[in-house]
C-alpha cells in the first residue's frame, strides 16, 4: 500500500492513471477463448454436407464471393472466421444457400447440419461473451457530471471521439482509454468544480433587459432601406435576411444560465401566421450557434393594439445574443430594392420588442451542487460523493484513499475548499467512476440500477433508483423494473435516450456530414433540417409512448409533421412550426422511418443517391442483417454526375462479377425502392441534373431553380428470394408484413445499446423468445422495451 499512498500524495491523476490502466488491462476481452472452445470436430463431421452442397462454388479452388470453405476448415479458427461461419449458418437457414438452381439437401441433412453448427456457434459465443469493463462514453460522462453538480458545461467537446462498434459508441470493446483522455478528464472535473465554486460564492441575481431593433446600435443603416418601421415602433422583416441578420445585440446574456425570453410582435400584412427561427449568435469564432426553437406570430397590425407575446425559456452561454429570422417570406420581384420598403405590399414579421430575464435560479438542486458550501464534514461529504460517483453503497475503505489525499492537501497548507476540490477531482477521475464496474454473472441491484439509468436517461441513477437498489427491490422484481421503465420514459432526461439511440441506430448524428448542393436542392434550409431531426425523434418517442406496433417503424397511417415538413412532403393543411401527429392518405409514402427526410438524407450524399449505400443502410439498421465488406480489389460504383446514366444501369454490370452478385442481391433491392426519394427526402419521379435534361420553371425563395429533370426513376426490384416489387409502396408493404424481423432487429439494437456489448450467437434464443412473447401484444413497442429490460441478457454481464 505504500506505493499507492505515495501516488496519492503526489497527485490524484497519477493514482487514477495507474489504477485505471491496471483494471482495464486485467479485464480486457478474452479473445483467446474463442479458439479454445470452438468445436472444430463438429464442423469436420459436416465436411460431406459442405462438399456436396457448397464446394462447387466455394471449394476445390473455387471461391465465389471470396468464400473458400475448404480453406476455412484448414486454417486456424479465429474470431473473423467465426463470423464467416455465422453467415454460412444464416444463409443456409434462410434457404439462400444452396441456390435454388442447385441440388437441395433433404430435411434431415439440413436439420443435422444446422443443429451441429448452431450448437458449436452458441457454445463458442457463450464462453467468450460478456460486457468488458466499459467506461462511460463522452455524452454519458458529460451528463453524469452536469447532473451531479448542477452545471451545464459542454464537457464532451473536451474529450477525444469514442470508438464505434457498428453503429454504437458505447460498446465496451471499442472504448479505449489513453493518457490523453485521463488528462482531459482531470481538466473537465476541475472546470466543473470551479464552476460550482463560482455559482455558490456569488450567485448572480436575475436581471431583465428590454431590447428593440429600432433602438439597436446601427439600426439606422437598415430602417427604411431593408427594414420597415411601423407607427407603433415595430420593426418589420419582409424577407429572410442574409445581411443584416436578425441578431439583436442588446438581447445578450452576460452570464451563462437559464433565461426567460419574451418576444412581442405580429404577422404584418398577412392573413396567416408567420413562423420565425429563434437562434443564438456570438462574435466568438468557431463555436456553435444553436437554434433554440421555431415559433409563429399571428396576424396583427398597429391598429389592433397590443402585440402578441411569445414566451419560452432557454439556456444561453455568456456573450450569446438572440437572433430572429423569419421563415417562408421573400421578395421574389425585388420590389424593396427597386421601389423601397415603405411601399412593399407583401407579408412581413413585425417585432415590437424582446425581453430577456435571467439567469434564473436552478429548477432543482443537484446532489453535489453545493459541495463548496456544504455543512458536512470532509469524511461525510467524500462518502456522499463516492456513493454517487461509484453508483453503489460505499464503506470506509472505499473513501479512505480520498480522505488521505484531502488531509495531505491540508497539511501542505491548502485551504479546506482546495483540499476538497483535489479529493473530489480524484474521485471523479477514478476507475470506479469512469468505468461501469459490473460484476460477472447476474447484476446486483446497484449495477442493474446503473445499467437501467444509463440506458434510458444516459446518466447516473437518480434517487428513486438508488433507493430501490439499496433496498434490493430491483433484481428479481420484473414488475418494479417495468414501473421504472415507465417512470424513466416520462423523465425529461429520457430525451437523451431518444437522441442518442436514434443518432446511433439511424445515424442521425451525421445529418451535417454533407451539405446538399445548392443548385440541385435550393429548397433545403436550416428550418427543414431542424424539422427533419425533430420529426424522426418525435416519431420514435411517440411509438413508445403510445405503445404502437413495431410495424409502424416502416408503415403507419400518420406522420409527425409541422408546416415545413408538410410543404416538403406536399401534404396540405398543416400550419405552424409545432410538430404533431397528422393523419395521412393511405397512398402517402410518409408513414414510417424510411419515408422521413432525415433518414433519407443521412443515407445519401449532398448530390445524389446510391442504391448500394441506402440498401446497406436498410439491410443493417432495419432488417438486422450485416452485409460483408466488398472483396478486395473490386472498385466501387460511382454515379454519373451529369445525370445521363443511372446507378441502376451501372450496378447491372457490376453484379456480373461473381464476387459481387450474392451480396448485391441482398442489399440492392431496398436501395432501388428508396430511389423514389432524392437526397433531401423529397419524392421524385425523375432525377435532378445539372447537365442534360428538361428545364424547370420554378422560383424558390427569391431565386429561379437552376437544376434540370433527367432520367425517370425506376424504383422496382426483386428480393433475393425472387419476390418482385414494383416500387417503394409495394416494398414497404413487404417490410410491414415481417413484424418478427423488425422486432428482432429493434430488440437486438436496444440490447446492444443497453448492455454495451454486441449481441452474439448464444443470445439468439432469448431474443427469439422476446419476439415470440411480443407477438401476443401485436409487437407493441413500450411492452417490448419492458421485455428488453426484464430479459436475462439485460440483467447479466
Amino acid at each position: 500500500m505504500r506505493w499507492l499512498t505515495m501516488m496519492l500524495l503526489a497527485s490524484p491523476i497519477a493514482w487514477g492513471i495507474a489504477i485505471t490502466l491496471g483494471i482495464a488491462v486485467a479485464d480486457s476481452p478474452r479473445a483467446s477463448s474463442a479458439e479454445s472452445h470452438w468445436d472444430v470436430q463438429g464442423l469436420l463431421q459436416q465436411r460431406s454436407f459442405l462438399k456436396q452442397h457448397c464446394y462447387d462454388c466455394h471449394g476445390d479452388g473455387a471461391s465465389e464471393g471470396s468464400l473458400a470453405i475448404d480453406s476455412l476448415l484448414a486454417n486456424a479458427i479465429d474470431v473473423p472466421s467465426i463470423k464467416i461461419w455465422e453467415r454460412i449458418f444464416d444463409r443456409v437457414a434462410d434457404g439462400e444457400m444452396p441456390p435454388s438452381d442447385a441440388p437441395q439437401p433433404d430435411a434431415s441433412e439440413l436439420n443435422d447440419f444446422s443443429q451441429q453448427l448452431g450448437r458449436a456457434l452458441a457454445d463458442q459465443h457463450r464462453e467468450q461473451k460478456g460486457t468488458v469493463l466499459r467506461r462511460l462514453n463522452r455524452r454519458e460522462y458529460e451528463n453524469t457530471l452536469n447532473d451531479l453538480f448542477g452545471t451545464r458545461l459542454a464537457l464532451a467537446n473536451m474529450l477525444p471521439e469514442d470508438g464505434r462498434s457498428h453503429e454504437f459508441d458505447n460498446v465496451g470493446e471499442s472504448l479505449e482509454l489513453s493518457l490523453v483522455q485521463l488528462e482531459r478528464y482531470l481538466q473537465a472535473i476541475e472546470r466543473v468544480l470551479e464552476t460550482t465554486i463560482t455559482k455558490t460564492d456569488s450567485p448572480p441575481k436575475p436581471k431583465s433587459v428590454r431590447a428593440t431593433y429600432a433602438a439597436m446600435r446601427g439600426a439606422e443603416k437598415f430602417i427604411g432601406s431593408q427594414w420597415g418601421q411601423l407607427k407603433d415602433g415595430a420593426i418589420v422583416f419582409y424577407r429572410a435576411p442574409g445581411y443584416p441578420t436578425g441578431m439583436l445585440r442588446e438581447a445578450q446574456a452576460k452570464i451563462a444560465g437559464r433565461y426567460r425570453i419574451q418576444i412581442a410582435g405580429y404577422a404584418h400584412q398577412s392573413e396567416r401566421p408567420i413562423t420565425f427561427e429563434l437562434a443564438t449568435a456570438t462574435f466568438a469564432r468557431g463555436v456553435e450557434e444553436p437554434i433554440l426553437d421555431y415559433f409563429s406570430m399571428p396576424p396583427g397590425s398597429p391598429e389592433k393594439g397590443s402585440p402578441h407575446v411569445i414566451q419560452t425559456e432557454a439556456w444561453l452561454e455568456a456573450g450569446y445574443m438572440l437572433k430572429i429570422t423569419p421563415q417562408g417570406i421573400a421578395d421574389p420581384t425585388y420590389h424593396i430594392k427597386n421601389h423601397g420598403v415603405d411601399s412593399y405590399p407583401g407579408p412581413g414579421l413585425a417585432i415590437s420588442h424582446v425581453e430577456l430575464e435571467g439567469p434564473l435560479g436552478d429548477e432543482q438542486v443537484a446532489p453535489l451542487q453545493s459541495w463548496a458550501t456544504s455543512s458536512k464534514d470532509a469524511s461525510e461529504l467524500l462518502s456522499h460523493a463516492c456513493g454517487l460517483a461509484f453508483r453503489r453503497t460505499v464503506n470506509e475503505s472505499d473513501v479512505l484513499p480520498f480522505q488521505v489525499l484531502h488531509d495531505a492537501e491540508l497539511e501542505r497548507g491548502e485551504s479546506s475548499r482546495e483540499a476538497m476540490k483535489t479529493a473530489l477531482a480524484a474521485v471523479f477521475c477514478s476507475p470506479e467512476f469512469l468505468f461501469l464496474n459490473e460484476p460477472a454473472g447476474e447484476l446486483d441491484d446497484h449495477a442493474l440500477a446503473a445499467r437501467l439509468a444509463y440506458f434510458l436517461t444516459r446518466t447516473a441513477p437518480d434517487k428513486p433508483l438508488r433507493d430501490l437498489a439499496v433496498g434490493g427491490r430491483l433484481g428479481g422484481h420484473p414488475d418494479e423494473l417495468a414501473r421504472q421503465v415507465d417512470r424513466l420514459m416520462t423523465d425529461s432526461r429520457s430525451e437523451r435516450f431518444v437522441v442518442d439511440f436514434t443518432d446511433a441506430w439511424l445515424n442521425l448524428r451525421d445529418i451535417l456530414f454533407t451539405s446538399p448542393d445548392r443548385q440541385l436542392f435550393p429548397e433545403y434550409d436550416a428550418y427543414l433540417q431542424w424539422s427533419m431531426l425533430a420529426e424522426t425523434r418525435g416519431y420514435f418517442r411517440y411509438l413508445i409512448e403510445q405503445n404502437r406496433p413495431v410495424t409502424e417503424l416502416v408503415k403507419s397511417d400518420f406522420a409527425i409533421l409541422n408546416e415545413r415538413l408538410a410543404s416538403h412532403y406536399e401534404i396540405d393543411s398543416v400550419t405552424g412550426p409545432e410538430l404533431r401527429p397528422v393523419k395521412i392518405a393511405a397512398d402517402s409514402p410518409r408513414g414510417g422511418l424510411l419515408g422521413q427526410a432525415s433518414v433519407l438524407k443521412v443515407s445519401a450524399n449532398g448530390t445524389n443517391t446510391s442504391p448500394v449505400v441506402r440498401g446497406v443502410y436498410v439491410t443493417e439498421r432495419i432488417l438486422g442483417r450485416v452485409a460483408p465488406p466488398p472483396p478486395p480489389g473490386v472498385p466501387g460504383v460511382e454515379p454519373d454526375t451529369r445525370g445521363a446514366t443511372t446507378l441502376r444501369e451501372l450496378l447491372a454490370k457490376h453484379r456480373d462479377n461473381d464476387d459481387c452478385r450474392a451480396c448485391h442481391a441482398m442489399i440492392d433491392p431496398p436501395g432501388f425502392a428508396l430511389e423514389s426519394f432524392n437526397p433531401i427526402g423529397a419524392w421524385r419521379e425523375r432525377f435532378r441534373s445539372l447537365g442534360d435534361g428538361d428545364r424547370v420553371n420554378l422560383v424558390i425563395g427569391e431565386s429561379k431553380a437552376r437544376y434540370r429533370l433527367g432520367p425517370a426513376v425506376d424504383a422496382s426490384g426483386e428480393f433475393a428470394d425472387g419476390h418482385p416489387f414494383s416500387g417503394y409502396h409495394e416494398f414497404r408493404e413487404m417490410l410491414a408484413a415481417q413484424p418478427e424481423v423488425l422486432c428482432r432487429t429493434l430488440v437486438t439494437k436496444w440490447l446492444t445499446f443497453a448492455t454495451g456489448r454486441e449481441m452474439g450467437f448464444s443470445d439468439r434464443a432469448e431474443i427469439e423468445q422476446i419476439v415470440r412473447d411480443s407477438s401476443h401484444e401485436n409487437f407493441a413497442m413500450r411492452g417490448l422495451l419492458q421485455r428488453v429490460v426484464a430479459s436475462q441478457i439485460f440483467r447479466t454481464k
Side-chain angles (χ1 to χ4, degrees):
M1 290 294 291
R2 186 180 174 203
W3 67 272
L4 178 59
T5 303
M6 292 173 62
M7 292 175 68
L8 285 170
L9 293 174
S11 79
I13 192 61
W15 175 81
I17 290 172
I19 301 301
T20 301
L21 290 180
I23 290 183
V25 170
D27 201 35
S28 59
R30 300 169 295 281
S32 62
S33 64
E35 299 175 17
S36 61
H37 291 86
W38 178 250
D39 186 3
V40 180
Q41 290 302 316
L43 286 177
L44 293 176
Q45 292 171 13
Q46 299 300 325
R47 186 184 294 275
S48 61
F49 178 94
L50 296 167
K51 195 160 190 173
Q52 181 179 354
H53 298 291
C54 307
Y55 271 37
D56 282 352
C57 300
H58 305 290
D60 295 331
S63 58
E64 186 173 315
S66 299
L67 173 61
I69 293 178
D70 48 356
S71 298
L72 196 62
L73 282 169
N75 294 331
I77 302 298
D78 55 15
V79 172
S81 69
I82 289 168
K83 294 297 182 186
I84 297 174
W85 283 112
E86 287 183 6
R87 286 203 296 272
I88 292 172
F89 178 92
D90 290 337
R91 299 289 292 278
V92 172
D94 291 343
E96 295 179 20
M97 290 293 160
S100 57
D101 58 354
Q104 298 296 304
D106 60 40
S108 61
E109 275 186 294
L110 192 60
N111 183 64
D112 185 52
F113 174 79
S114 296
Q115 282 196 359
Q116 184 72 45
L117 179 55
R119 184 161 49 248
L121 288 168
D123 289 345
Q124 178 275 332
H125 180 257
R126 194 176 294 110
E127 288 292 332
Q128 60 89 218
K129 77 174 181 180
T131 307
V132 300
L133 191 65
R134 179 174 81 80
R135 69 167 172 82
L136 304 180
N137 72 8
R138 298 194 309 164
R139 286 182 302 282
E140 292 166 336
Y141 176 85
E142 175 183 285
N143 293 340
T144 305
L145 285 184
N146 280 335
D147 290 348
L148 291 180
F149 287 92
T151 52
R152 290 284 295 265
L153 300 171
L155 303 175
N157 296 336
M158 300 176 66
L159 304 174
E161 285 277 354
D162 294 311
R164 296 183 188 178
S165 179
H166 294 293
E167 301 101 315
F168 298 104
D169 62 358
N170 66 336
V171 172
E173 291 181 348
S174 300
L175 294 172
E176 299 176 348
L177 184 67
S178 67
L179 295 181
V180 172
Q181 280 174 304
L182 286 166
E183 184 179 359
R184 300 281 179 84
Y185 286 137
L186 181 60
Q187 293 170 359
I189 185 57
E190 286 182 338
R191 186 178 173 197
V192 170
L193 295 172
E194 284 292 342
T195 301
T196 57
I197 288 174
T198 302
K199 287 176 65 176
T200 54
D201 276 355
S202 53
K205 294 181 179 180
K207 294 182 180 180
S208 182
V209 174
R210 183 183 176 104
T212 67
Y213 285 100
M216 185 182 74
R217 181 161 54 92
E220 65 278 0
K221 294 184 294 184
F222 314 122
I223 296 173
S225 59
Q226 298 182 60
W227 299 347
Q229 186 170 20
L230 304 178
K231 59 185 179 181
D232 63 355
I235 295 298
V236 188
F237 302 109
Y238 289 109
R239 51 195 294 270
Y243 178 82
T245 69
M247 181 179 70
L248 186 54
R249 296 188 180 194
E250 284 72 17
Q252 183 184 73
K254 303 297 183 182
I255 302 170
R258 187 169 55 91
Y259 285 79
R260 182 176 297 113
I261 303 166
Q262 290 186 340
I263 303 170
Y266 47 88
H268 177 59
Q269 297 180 168
S270 176
E271 295 180 355
R272 302 181 61 184
I274 293 178
T275 294
F276 65 91
E277 173 191 281
L278 178 61
T280 58
T282 178
F283 292 120
R285 295 185 177 182
V287 297
E288 185 181 3
E289 297 182 334
I291 294 172
L292 301 180
D293 211 334
Y294 287 84
F295 303 93
S296 63
M297 285 292 186
S301 68
E303 293 76 21
K304 291 186 177 179
S306 299
H308 181 74
V309 177
I310 289 170
Q311 180 171 300
T312 187
E313 290 186 5
W315 180 273
L316 300 178
E317 293 294 336
Y320 276 72
M321 297 156 281
L322 297 180
K323 182 173 70 173
I324 295 173
T325 306
Q327 306 292 312
I329 56 175
D331 179 15
T333 63
Y334 300 100
H335 178 105
I336 294 174
K337 180 180 180 180
N338 297 324
H339 305 289
V341 70
D342 291 336
S343 63
Y344 183 67
L349 176 68
I351 301 297
S352 301
H353 64 267
V354 174
E355 288 190 13
L356 189 63
E357 181 187 1
L360 307 176
D362 294 307
E363 296 170 296
Q364 293 182 335
V365 177
L368 293 173
Q369 185 170 329
S370 59
W371 71 268
T373 57
S374 174
S375 60
K376 297 178 180 178
D377 64 28
S379 61
E380 186 180 1
L381 180 57
L382 284 173
S383 179
H384 181 54
C386 287
L388 293 169
F390 302 166
R391 300 168 285 268
R392 60 176 175 82
T393 303
V394 295
N395 53 40
E396 290 185 7
S397 63
D398 294 316
V399 182
L400 179 60
F402 307 101
Q403 182 70 56
V404 170
L405 179 59
H406 171 271
D407 295 346
E409 291 294 291
L410 289 177
E411 291 177 7
R412 290 177 58 237
E414 295 289 349
S415 67
S416 59
R417 176 183 287 178
E418 286 300 311
M420 182 56 67
K421 179 182 168 185
T422 301
L424 287 175
V427 169
F428 287 95
C429 285
S430 69
E432 285 265 28
F433 172 68
L434 296 176
F435 289 84
L436 291 168
N437 193 8
E438 299 169 333
E442 190 88 12
L443 298 183
D444 61 36
D445 278 55
H446 292 287
L448 187 56
R451 180 172 282 190
L452 183 58
Y454 280 103
F455 178 34
L456 296 182
T457 59
R458 315 294 293 128
T459 190
D462 60 5
K463 190 174 188 307
L465 269 182
R466 295 197 303 269
D467 289 345
L468 287 170
V470 169
R473 301 196 302 275
L474 278 178
H477 296 79
D479 291 344
E480 186 59 59
L481 282 173
R483 281 192 291 271
Q484 291 306 308
V485 169
D486 289 343
R487 182 182 70 84
L488 293 176
M489 284 304 296
T490 63
D491 190 304
S492 61
R493 294 172 300 176
S494 67
E495 186 61 22
R496 298 168 179 170
F497 159 67
V498 172
V499 170
D500 288 358
F501 182 73
T502 55
D503 271 6
W505 173 40
L506 301 174
N507 201 33
L508 299 188
R509 60 188 159 207
D510 281 352
I511 193 79
L512 298 176
F513 188 72
T514 60
S515 297
D517 188 294
R518 287 292 180 186
Q519 295 186 66
L520 281 171
F521 307 103
E523 68 268 44
Y524 189 79
D525 57 25
Y527 188 15
L528 177 59
Q529 178 178 284
W530 181 89
S531 301
M532 285 178 174
L533 289 174
E535 174 192 18
T536 301
R537 290 166 177 165
Y539 186 81
F540 180 71
R541 175 178 282 282
Y542 184 84
L543 294 185
I544 296 173
E545 288 178 345
Q546 301 299 315
N547 209 21
R548 307 291 293 187
V550 75
T551 52
E552 292 190 351
L553 288 173
V554 295
K555 184 179 185 295
S556 66
D557 61 0
F558 70 94
I560 304 293
L561 301 177
N562 63 5
E563 61 185 3
R564 186 65 187 89
L565 288 166
S567 172
H568 189 56
Y569 296 160
E570 299 181 328
I571 295 173
D572 297 327
S573 304
V574 179
T575 59
E578 303 83 11
L579 284 110
R580 65 277 199 187
V582 175
K583 186 83 170 178
I584 56 177
D587 61 349
S588 171
R590 297 304 172 178
L593 294 174
L594 297 182
Q596 294 178 8
S598 65
V599 167
L600 295 160
K601 182 181 184 301
V602 298
S603 59
N605 61 34
T607 304
N608 49 52
T609 59
S610 166
V612 176
V613 173
R614 279 183 168 170
V616 169
Y617 182 96
V618 175
T619 300
E620 294 189 352
R621 297 170 193 266
I622 305 300
L623 301 178
R625 300 186 63 183
V626 178
V634 177
V637 182
E638 295 295 330
D640 182 348
T641 56
R642 297 168 301 170
T645 307
T646 67
L647 266 172
R648 177 183 284 270
E649 295 168 310
L650 298 174
L651 282 170
K653 297 179 181 179
H654 183 74
R655 284 196 302 273
D656 285 341
N657 188 323
D658 289 342
D659 288 336
C660 304
R661 186 180 301 111
C663 287
H664 280 276
M666 174 177 65
I667 64 179
D668 287 357
F672 287 145
L674 294 185
E675 285 289 80
S676 288
F677 301 97
N678 71 19
I680 62 171
W683 184 264
R684 64 184 176 190
E685 302 290 345
R686 298 170 68 181
F687 293 96
R688 293 185 186 183
S689 167
L690 296 177
D692 299 332
D694 299 330
R695 294 183 182 275
V696 295
N697 184 20
L698 183 65
V699 175
I700 298 174
E702 297 177 353
S703 302
K704 187 175 181 180
R706 299 176 63 183
Y707 63 83
R708 299 188 177 203
L709 294 178
V713 170
D714 180 1
S716 64
E718 182 179 291
F719 285 107
D721 61 5
H723 283 81
F725 56 87
S726 60
Y728 173 72
H729 290 84
E730 194 169 334
F731 168 79
R732 184 178 62 173
E733 292 292 340
M734 291 179 172
L735 291 191
Q738 304 177 65
E740 292 85 1
V741 173
L742 301 172
C743 184
R744 183 182 305 116
T745 301
L746 182 61
V747 167
T748 302
K749 303 296 185 186
W750 268 343
L751 283 169
T752 302
F753 186 70
T755 63
R757 72 169 176 85
E758 294 285 353
M759 296 296 102
F761 205 90
S762 69
D763 299 310
R764 291 186 176 190
E766 187 172 5
I767 291 172
E768 288 304 315
Q769 187 61 52
I770 294 173
V771 173
R772 284 193 296 272
D773 292 343
S774 297
S775 67
H776 305 306
E777 297 177 354
N778 198 26
F779 303 99
M781 284 185 55
R782 189 174 68 248
L784 191 60
L785 184 60
Q786 292 172 340
R787 281 192 167 85
V788 163
V789 170
S791 69
Q792 190 70 16
I793 295 172
F794 183 89
R795 294 183 291 107
T796 306
K797 178 176 178 180

